[in-house]
Amino acid sequence: MAHAPRKIVFHVPSIVPDRAVEPAGEPRLAAPQPAPPADGTDGRKLATVMEVGEALAGTLSLPAGLYGVLEVLERRCGALRGQVTLREEETGLLAVEASLPQPQSGGRVRYRPGEGPAGRAAESGAPVVVPRAAREDGQDIALLCVPIGLDGAPAGTLQVEMRYDTDRDLERMVKVLRIAAGMISQSLRIQRLIGQERERLVEENTHLREELRERYEFTNLIGNSGPMRRVYEQISQVVGTGATVLIRGESGTGKELIAHALHYHSPRATGSFVRVNCAALPETLVESELFGYERGAFTGAHARRKGRFEQADGGTLFLDEIGELSPSTQAKLLRVLQEREFERLGGSETVRVDVRLITATNKDLERALADGSVREDLYYRLNVFAICVPPLRERKSDVLLLADHFVEKYARVHGRSIRRISTPAIDMLMSYHWPGNVRELENTIERAVLVAEGDVIHGHHLSPTLQTAEASGTVISGSLSEAVAAFESNLIQDALKTTRGNRAHAARLLGSTERIVGYKIRRYGIDPGRFREEEQANPRAEGQ
């Protein structure tokens, strides 16, 4: 009795088994064929495997590599059609990732486990072979499908159709396909590792950008003095624009911190922030650093190199110590500011960039204009919006705020439990003229945090510069008894600061009696109420 025809699912036309050759039933692995004569078959097999490896290794795109594998099987083995399926993690279905010829429909073909040769090969983990079947166009073909495994689990299938030939060695072809499937598996493993690493790097990059944004928050600009409030007002006026900004101020006042804050709170925050210290670069290298160079532009230029302007394209370029540029470099910088274009050193190609420029200088630019070291036209291009950062000696009311901030910062960094700064040490900080500005204060506090034995920073923990009488303006002139009295007064004030003005508690800390401490307080004219007011105004000074 004749058997009813059965369809084998395939993503192109359906394949109908030939009833005269393959009876109805489950496809089976082809019976072993007689060994072919030694006619170069092994050589062709090796060449096929090598080309499959080259197809996968020659591209970073997995789909392109899979198409390359199918093209090798088409050219080397006579495959009429082929497809590679990979399991989708979300659905568990087998989706066609590559097929030859490419399907006409835009939809993605998928198979359920056990559906068609691909579904059965993936489910069983064994090759599925139909030695002879008839397609809808009447052509007899052989169908071979092998599983692709990954970490002991089915990850997909490799399937080909070949013209039916009674002399074809299907067992040898299955071996070739299994080797190709193994190579696809390794390529898939590498692609997944690359994908995981890419996701990790993207996540890390996002995290680092957020850290930078938090690090350069405007709240990290410490100070509530009048000069600093004017700086905050200027920053708020220009931060959301793309205007060129010139930051002026002495060395160590925090010009770079302001430049970072302007970038990370601007519309260009997702772009690069590139910093160049013009004073640190030799004059012969400034041009190549800013604008880049072409291969062969000079001895040692073995390849083209992008300059800082190209690196900052779409972001912000910060030129520190802009007043140190040579006249020739100033002329080229002027052209970039005017035309937004330049040529690399040794090249003729015009490079266009979109960069926001922020510059900084501690130089008197008006005097530099007078002596001709700064071009007048460049000065007006840079001085679109100027922010003048005051020196620390003009904002003495911010010294204690900054000192407390740095104590907290470096106590955390170095794992120390520093709670406060003693009153004599505060007096030394307040009386010093700070020629190095905020940078010098920060370095002084970090050193004090490192050398302090307990949880309080005392005067002798500060740098020797502050303890030098001439430097701090505290030249001692008087007798030994006056010096002892001054030291005794400082100890009592320190104890009162610790106890928030409580005389009895201060006496116990000093190992004395309240009556003696009270006598000393009256003798030295110390006001205990001052320390209660200080605590209310600035509790951090007491380590709370």
Side-chain angles (χ1 to χ4, degrees), residues 432-452:
Y432 186 57
H433 60 289
W434 297 111
N437 292 294
V438 179
R439 182 184 295 122
E440 184 182 6
L441 174 60
E442 181 175 4
N443 294 339
T444 297
I445 296 300
E446 183 177 11
R447 177 187 184 277
V449 167
L450 291 171
V451 302

Side-chain angles (χ1 to χ4, degrees), residues 73 77-81 139-144 160-165 168 170 173 177:
L73 295 176
C77 304
L80 301 175
R81 289 174 178 161
Q139 184 177 5
D140 289 344
I141 55 101
L143 185 146
L144 304 91
V160 296
E161 293 180 21
M162 309 183 71
R163 185 173 290 103
Y164 172 70
D165 187 346
R168 187 181 300 280
L170 296 182
M173 190 62 201
L177 292 180

Side-chain angles (χ1 to χ4, degrees), residues 4-19 22-25 27 80-83 100 111 116-118 120 128-145 159-164:
R6 182 181 59 81
K7 290 187 177 182
I8 298 176
V9 180
F10 195 66
H11 77 282
V12 207
S14 298
I15 300 174
V16 183
D18 190 330
R19 289 172 294 174
E22 180 76 9
L80 301 175
R81 289 174 178 161
Q83 71 174 18
L100 284 180
Y111 300 99
R120 287 195 291 275
V128 173
V129 178
V130 179
R132 185 176 183 182
R135 293 195 315 199
E136 289 183 346
D137 59 4
Q139 184 177 5
D140 289 344
I141 55 101
L143 185 146
L144 304 91
C145 184
Q159 177 175 306
V160 296
E161 293 180 21
M162 309 183 71
R163 185 173 290 103
Y164 172 70

